[in-house]
Amino acid sequence: MLIAALTAFVGTHFLLSHPFRAPLVKTLGANGFLGAYSLVALGTFVWVVQAFGAAPVSGPIWTAGDGTWALASLLMLLGSILFVGSLIGNPALPGPPERANTAQPARGVFAITRHPMMWGFALWALVHLLVSPQPKVLALTIAIGFLAIFGSVGQDAKKAALMGDGWRDWASRTSFVPFANQISGKSNWSTAWPGRTVVLAGIALWLIASYVHPLLGGPVAGIWRWMGG
């Protein structure tokens, strides 16, 4: 049931974002399509949550030690910063400003990757795969990771078709993989600093999310594993 729910969740995202998008927008209008898309996304997400909760809990395939937890915590901090930063001036988000944003120099987390939100989700998936490697978690994280990475690939193609040279210029100046421009020498490492506000907001999200993690039924996560009794 969980695999069926994940297949529906991921599959409808791809179908509605790409092959079915244009005919449905033509039939329903932009607002009607957005409403239908949101209902399908919400419905399949609720199905995933219910199926995940009903799936049996089994022993981990491997044991996550302190080193793995420390690495996972750092990756989740990076994912939190990327996610928060993606909400500021994102040219991939719908709306008239997107064309103007692509003409600007890549700033903040967009100097790290042009898909910071999707990489935030991908890092979330990787972190949970590392520290909770049981079958139902693996199924969930692989599905979310697949959607994040290949959804970004599809978004590049879709935005290039919609925005033409504006998006292609943006793509030529930004990297798909985080820090690829810095590692290759195309950009200076100073560009990898997303700004104090974004970093502080990302740290706050990371601390709060890891603090409430056990309250939501998960293990103690983040720095809280090494604090307290």
Side-chain angles (χ1 to χ4, degrees):
M1 186 62 70
L2 177 59
I3 291 174
L6 289 168
T7 301
F9 179 72
V10 174
T12 53
H13 269 74
F14 277 106
L15 290 173
L16 293 177
S17 296
H18 302 290
F20 292 172
R21 181 184 180 91
L24 286 175
V25 168
K26 185 176 180 180
T27 302
L28 303 174
N31 290 334
F33 169 78
L34 181 60
Y37 185 98
S38 300
L39 286 174
V40 172
L42 178 60
T44 53
F45 177 75
V46 170
W47 186 15
V48 167
V49 172
Q50 292 176 338
F52 183 84
V57 177
S58 56
I61 299 173
W62 61 81
T63 301
D66 280 346
T68 303
W69 271 100
L71 173 62
S73 297
L74 290 174
L75 290 174
M76 197 65 260
L77 173 58
L78 173 60
S80 299
I81 292 171
L82 290 177
F83 177 81
V84 169
S86 74
L87 304 176
I88 304 171
N90 189 344
L93 294 176
E98 62 185 5
R99 292 181 183 273
N101 286 338
T102 58
Q104 301 297 320
R107 297 187 179 92
V109 293
F110 299 97
I112 299 174
T113 170
R114 64 177 169 273
H115 295 290
M117 182 179 291
M118 290 299 202
W119 276 103
F121 290 135
L123 288 172
W124 177 93
L126 175 60
V127 163
H128 286 77
L129 183 150
L130 288 173
V131 300
S132 186
Q134 55 173 296
K136 73 175 188 175
V137 176
L138 292 180
L140 176 65
T141 56
I142 289 171
I144 297 300
F146 181 89
L147 178 60
I149 300 302
F150 288 95
S152 297
V153 172
Q155 186 180 84
D156 272 349
K158 180 177 68 177
K159 288 295 182 178
L162 291 173
M163 299 172 60
D165 290 341
W167 186 265
R168 283 187 284 271
D169 174 62
W170 174 253
S172 71
R173 293 184 287 107
T174 55
S175 64
F176 185 91
V177 177
F179 303 107
N181 278 1
Q182 287 80 13
I183 293 172
S184 68
K186 188 175 180 179
S187 299
N188 190 284
W189 275 100
S190 63
T191 61
W193 173 249
R196 182 175 60 182
T197 300
V198 168
V199 170
L200 291 177
I203 291 173
L205 174 62
W206 176 67
L207 289 173
I208 294 169
S210 56
Y211 181 80
V212 302
H213 201 254
L215 303 179
L216 300 175
V220 178
I223 63 171
W224 311 110
R225 288 186 64 83
W226 294 277
M227 298 179 65

